[in-house]
Amino acid sequence: MPATWIFLIVLAIAAIGYVLGRSRALASASGDSRNLHSLPSYYGSHVALYVAVPSLLLFGLWLVVQPILIERHVQTLIPEASYQNQGELNLLMSDVHRIASGLDFAVDYGALGAQQALDLDTDTSDIRAILASVGVALGSDVSTQTLDAAKRYRALSATGDIFRSIAVLALALAGLGFAVIKTNRDFRARNAVERVILSLLILAASLAILTTVGIVLSLVFNTIEFFKLYPALDFFFGTTWSPSFGGGSQLGILPLFWGTFYISLIALAVAVPIGLFAAIYTSEYASPKVRSMAKPLLEILAGIPTIVYGLFALLTVGPGLMAVFGPNGGLGWMQGGTAVMTAGLVMGVMLIPFVSSLSDDIINSVPQSLRDGSLGLGATKSETIKQVVLPAALPGIVGAILLAASRAIGETMIVVLGAGAAARLSMNPFDAMTTVTAKIVSQLTGDADFASPEALVAFALGMTLFVITLGLNIFALWIVRKYREQYE
Amino acid sequence: MYDSPTLETKLNTKNIKIAADNVQVYYGETHAIKDVSVQIQDKTVTAFIGPSGCGKSTFLRTLNRMNDTIDICRVQGNILLDGENIYDPRVDPVQLRAKVGMVFQKPNPFPKSIYDNVAYGPRIHGMSKSKADLDQIVETALRRGAIWDEVKDRLHAPGTGLSGGQQQRLCIARAVATEPEVLLMDEPCSALDPIATGQVEELIDELREDYSVVIVTHSMQQAARVSQKTAFFHLGNLVEYGDTSQIFTNPVDPRTESYITGRIG
């Protein structure tokens, strides 16, 4: 039975359970819902939850575990002589998968009878031709072992699916029976539903946390793997970045780091003053009408995808800068349109709404009484802002800037399109440079061999970046929280 | 000019500090202050009393043009400070506020040190020639605010770390430091406990020697304790204005009597 059907049937049983539970509860209270402990709908929900939650959990678990178990078993059918390492085994296994799913297709489309598919033999029939006729292309002729493994795979999957349907539906019905029997007028269905809801919420939260942990662990393990192949000291203090997949790479992080730092610095130099002044204008000077127009307009900037900013850098800002600072502009500082300056300026524009929107909120949360106090002493508006409002809002503004900084450090698309791909240590902001994130992309695009330091270095780069941005974020949150304590 | 003929004889026009004449205040469409005329004497504490929303705080804020900071607020009529109209276009409201200081309902020390809080006004207005000069101004102001002894050892600690009553006296010292001629106080004790209130009231009484003090208060006892003149506001009108003793013992208007005996408000 296909997975979708099982899912729908479970839901249907749950719906029936809802009605059953509700009516049974009402019947036990002789039709008057005031005699029930909980509202009738709680009794219904209680039964529905008992039907759906355990059986769907089992269903999900089964979907994950069954292929793993079958895979393990089928692997043992392939003779060890036919492969030398894990990579070749993986290739063989993917052949097995293709043949198995190809046979499924063939049966579905009627190219093979169900029994025929089971009796197939490499000597008597041309499996490549049969599968090609239903649109599954195979790279090579099928060996007997592979075909056997594929047949075995199909057989096991089919039995597994049957057991799955039985187990899931049986559990659903058991849940239905159990919950319906429990239902009577004194049963505290409301509290039971509350507990189930609580555990569902906890489940959602822990899934999110577990995913984070998983991401971090995969970074950590691959980073350790990388440092086994490449000395950590050379990685952190090397000044040359020249990966070559043929071997003999120099993988020093410093040029990438410098590029990241330099571009972020220019971006912040653009975004912080503009964003902050914009925030001061919208929060302190603008009339409510102007503010209600200007703020959303500024925030539109935050909604532009970064690839669009990248195009803007590549097609507009780069050539524009070339016209002034390039060889034709007379200054000759700039050799090409892609440069630290190009990416930095565009990234700065991208960050303006981050700084302005957060700062605006923070400036607004400075109590009006402080402004009144300062104005009442005969200070002008700008004196008040400079000497009272901004110092009071400073921790929050610093937090906003740090959040913008971690955004800048993690930005990739603008760098790829705007700053070029050359890893170099240079002071000239009109040189092409590149950043950690851009290099992670270039190390992992294409056919990456995850056993080589050239590919694994991406994880070490990612890990370093993660630690830095995490540190910045924690620092920013700490500052913001410290600030909050002052006024609330 | 006045509702009550007794007032005219009692007011000595020679030491009138602020004279308001037919003042109207509008918040958008709302007519918040209706036709208020009042003469506030120098070196006197004048109390504004009245039920909530009667316009006493609004009127107080017209006296140093703090209402200018509210977009929808319009003021009509004349308010003369030492004979000069403060709503004249040539008057700089910023300069005016240095002359007419203000203390607010809630203590609002800046998130700066005690010293910097008090030095804020003098620094803005360039009142000191040297650091020593500024030190002197700060000390004098803190002494006048009756808080010097409590803070002299921690002038560079943050002003927000003081207790509520100390903060309010710090704010008074801060207002005094710019050497204003009039001190406006908008319910200065409403956020304070009775002991701190007592200290602030004592301070107000001392300040009367040098300034004209106008205080808005909800507490009639407080008005009776600290003020020499009392004005009763009701629904945006100035109902009655006169000597405090007369207002509290022998009010002319029946509405005043109802309020001070607790029947309206």
Side-chain angles (χ1 to χ4, degrees), chain A residues 286-288 368-381 383-385 387-388 391-392 486-487, chain B residues 61 64 66 69 71 94 97-98 100-102 104 106 108-112 117 120-121 124-125 174-175 178:
Chain A
S287 66
Q368 182 63 30
S369 66
L370 287 184
R371 292 186 191 94
D372 284 348
S374 172
L375 293 173
L377 288 169
T380 62
K381 207 156 187 174
E383 283 167 347
T384 302
I385 291 164
Q387 304 206 26
V388 175
Q486 261 185 341
Y487 294 111
Chain B
R61 289 165 71 97
N64 71 344
M66 276 303 279
T69 59
D71 292 330
V94 170
R97 288 184 204 131
V100 184
M102 189 152 190
F104 296 85
K106 257 178 71 184
N108 56 350
F110 303 137
K112 299 169 180 286
N117 260 287
Y120 183 81
I124 283 180
H125 300 295
R174 188 176 69 186
T178 53

Side-chain angles (χ1 to χ4, degrees), chain A residues 382-430:
Chain A
S382 71
E383 283 167 347
T384 302
I385 291 164
K386 195 177 83 190
Q387 304 206 26
V388 175
V389 177
L390 285 187
L394 192 66
I397 292 172
V398 171
I401 292 171
L402 287 177
L403 285 181
S406 57
R407 236 346 260 265
I409 290 170
E411 178 49 46
T412 313
M413 264 4 263
I414 295 175
V415 177
V416 170
L417 293 178
R424 78 166 66 125
L425 278 166
S426 156
M427 288 303 289
N428 183 357
F430 296 101

Side-chain angles (χ1 to χ4, degrees), chain A residues 29-112:
Chain A
S30 45
D32 187 350
S33 63
R34 282 173 301 176
N35 295 332
L36 290 170
H37 170 270
S38 317
L39 291 174
S41 66
Y42 276 114
Y43 291 94
S45 310
H46 171 248
V47 177
L49 284 170
Y50 258 87
V51 172
V53 173
S55 57
L56 289 183
L57 279 182
L58 176 73
F59 185 47
L61 199 68
W62 201 300
L63 281 180
V64 175
V65 173
Q66 177 180 308
I68 297 174
L69 291 180
I70 293 180
E71 183 90 13
R72 285 238 180 104
H73 178 74
V74 171
Q75 267 184 17
T76 60
L77 294 180
I78 294 175
E80 282 184 29
S82 57
Y83 56 89
Q84 271 136 29
N85 57 31
Q86 189 65 33
E88 284 181 28
L89 176 63
N90 286 346
L91 284 177
L92 279 173
M93 282 309 293
S94 76
D95 264 357
V96 170
H97 291 170
R98 286 176 76 85
I99 295 169
S101 64
L103 288 176
D104 285 342
F105 267 127
V107 174
D108 284 351
Y109 285 114
L112 278 175

Side-chain angles (χ1 to χ4, degrees), chain A residues 177-195:
Chain A
F178 178 71
V180 166
I181 289 168
K182 270 214 310 198
T183 303
N184 65 54
R185 54 184 287 187
D186 293 327
F187 176 64
R188 300 180 179 183
R190 197 178 174 205
N191 308 24
V193 170
E194 191 67 32
R195 276 196 298 278

Side-chain angles (χ1 to χ4, degrees), chain B residues 175-249:
Chain B
V176 165
T178 53
E179 292 179 11
E181 296 164 19
V182 180
L183 204 54
L184 308 177
M185 296 182 154
D186 190 355
E187 297 178 42
C189 301
S190 65
L192 304 183
D193 65 48
I195 294 173
T197 302
Q199 288 165 333
V200 171
E201 284 179 3
E202 215 170 291
L203 175 58
I204 292 171
D205 204 47
E206 287 165 23
L207 291 174
R208 180 164 68 94
E209 290 168 18
D210 305 300
Y211 309 100
S212 169
V213 180
V214 184
I215 176 172
V216 165
T217 176
H218 266 301
S219 154
M220 281 173 284
Q221 291 86 342
Q222 183 172 57
R225 282 195 299 265
V226 300
S227 70
Q228 289 78 50
K229 290 276 181 183
T230 297
F232 171 62
F233 285 79
H234 189 237
L235 300 175
N237 296 304
L238 176 63
V239 174
E240 192 168 351
Y241 175 54
D243 287 337
T244 301
S245 53
Q246 176 252 318
I247 293 268
F248 279 94
T249 54

